[in-house]
Amino acid sequence: MRELKRIGVLSALMVLGAVLVVAGRQQERPTFTPEQEARLQIREVADGLYVIPGFDGGQSGGNVAVRVTNDGVLIVDNKFAYSFDFITEQVRSVTNQPIRYVMNTHHHGDHAGSNADFMPAAEVIAHRNARANIIRNNLTGAPPITFTHETAVFLGGAEVQAHHFGRGHTNGDSVIYFPDLRVIHTGDLFIYGERLDGTTLAPFWDLANGGSATEWPATLTGVLGLDFDEVIPGHGPVLGRAEVRTFRSNLETVIARVAAEVRNGATRDNIASRVDTSDLGWPLAPVRLQDVFDELTGAR
Ligand SMILES: [Zn+2]
């Protein structure tokens, strides 16, 4: 009887396991309109460098950079857990070379979501804090290779550098630099423009994962020290140095305005109503301004 019961429990567990596997596989790429799908197709940025565009964290994910060489392909970021097939098909449309390296700009699921699928055939590399964030948040695909300040991959005559300049969007942000092409991929340290649904992107300081609004401008000063002309943002179109400077200056403006209101006696409860950022074109949720308040007053 006891044995029968155990078999019953075992088979129930097996059924549950099968359901979970099916549920995992059911997570599929969303359906886009033909116009949206056209915007999401791989396109050339420079000789041997492509981007698979991403415009938001909810549907199309982050921008994926694709560096093609005669010895294989290195990609930067990989969108969502359901994006592996889409990304590999997009890469296959421009080269027969295999994807050998994957770099993560940070741990968020719209950038590093399909790490686990790439791991059997590729080396996955991220900042050590990004790996720690993946593990602490119970996400899959913790990168087996990490770095602290900078590292590089040399592949087929191309060099791809990863740099960590400090806190900003998270505490594990990497900026990927293609020095021969004078292009960088910033991850979400720099985002720009509109989501697929037409709403406007604004920066997110993820304090729960070590991000910092107040340290972010200095981190961007480090980024601007790289010798580049073109920028692939975390989300949005390929842009230039000027837009990164504007983004940094907007961040400084937000921090200065919150700081001024703190000096004028603002509280955590009323700070959002006392700081207007509409002229910056950033729709910042009240909690984002409370985060800055917390940072400036030492609450976090
Ligand atoms: Zn992010």
Side-chain angles (χ1 to χ4, degrees):
M1 186 63 193
R2 184 175 287 171
E3 191 59 27
L4 271 178
K5 210 178 252 175
R6 193 191 291 163
I7 288 167
V9 170
L10 269 178
S11 47
L13 281 174
M14 282 165 72
V15 168
L16 179 66
V19 167
L20 286 175
V21 167
V22 169
R25 285 192 190 139
Q26 276 171 349
Q27 196 185 32
E28 281 176 12
R29 189 168 175 265
T31 307
F32 296 100
T33 67
E35 292 77 17
Q36 289 173 332
E37 199 63 77
R39 295 179 65 197
L40 299 176
Q41 298 300 301
I42 192 166
R43 63 206 56 215
E44 193 172 40
V45 176
D47 197 20
L49 180 67
Y50 300 79
V51 64
I52 306 172
F55 299 95
D56 47 61
Q59 292 178 291
S60 58
N63 279 317
V64 177
V66 180
R67 183 72 173 100
V68 176
T69 81
N70 292 330
D71 278 336
V73 176
L74 179 150
I75 66 170
V76 180
D77 285 353
N78 49 48
K79 298 184 185 280
F80 293 104
Y82 51 72
S83 301
F84 175 77
D85 289 345
F86 176 71
I87 291 170
T88 51
E89 284 161 19
Q90 291 282 305
V91 170
R92 213 176 297 132
S93 75
V94 297
T95 180
N96 291 322
Q97 290 286 340
I99 298 171
R100 291 182 54 196
Y101 292 91
V102 175
M103 284 179 168
N104 295 152
T105 60
H106 61 296
H107 73 284
H108 285 153
D110 54 330
H111 296 264
S114 53
N115 270 5
D117 289 323
F118 283 99
M119 274 185 193
E123 306 286 359
V124 179
I125 304 164
H127 189 267
R128 65 179 296 121
N129 292 344
R131 174 184 157 85
N133 289 338
I134 283 176
I135 292 169
R136 198 185 57 259
N137 288 290
N138 294 315
L139 304 172
T140 59
I145 303 173
T146 66
F147 70 98
T148 307
H149 298 294
E150 64 174 87
T151 192
V153 170
F154 295 84
L155 183 66
E159 178 179 359
V160 185
Q161 300 174 4
H163 295 263
H164 176 71
F165 291 109
R167 296 165 67 203
H169 179 58
T170 70
N171 64 356
D173 301 310
S174 297
V175 171
I176 313 304
Y177 180 37
F178 305 94
D180 54 333
L181 307 175
R182 302 174 62 84
V183 178
I184 61 170
H185 187 316
T186 60
D188 287 351
L189 282 173
F190 171 64
I191 59 174
Y192 217 93
E194 294 178 349
R195 298 182 183 87
L196 270 191
D197 66 10
T199 58
T200 303
L201 290 161
F204 166 42
W205 28 91
D206 185 354
L207 302 198
N209 286 293
S212 167
T214 57
E215 294 183 25
W216 194 328
T219 298
L220 287 177
T221 299
V223 175
L224 285 160
L226 294 172
D227 194 13
F228 67 91
D229 301 316
E230 287 188 291
V231 187
I232 300 171
H235 307 270
V238 177
L239 296 162
R241 300 180 71 89
E243 287 84 4
V244 179
R245 286 199 204 94
T246 300
F247 187 94
R248 177 181 61 176
S249 134
N250 285 353
L251 280 171
E252 287 167 342
T253 301
V254 170
I255 296 159
R257 287 179 187 172
V258 174
E261 287 307 313
V262 168
R263 284 194 298 274
N264 291 337
T267 65
R268 190 174 199 279
D269 284 339
N270 69 20
I271 187 68
S273 65
R274 291 171 64 150
V275 174
D276 181 16
T277 59
S278 53
D279 58 317
L280 306 176
W282 281 350
L284 290 173
V287 67
R288 295 285 88 77
L289 296 166
Q290 290 179 324
D291 285 343
V292 179
F293 179 94
D294 288 346
E295 276 201 69
L296 290 173
T297 59
R300 274 205 271 185

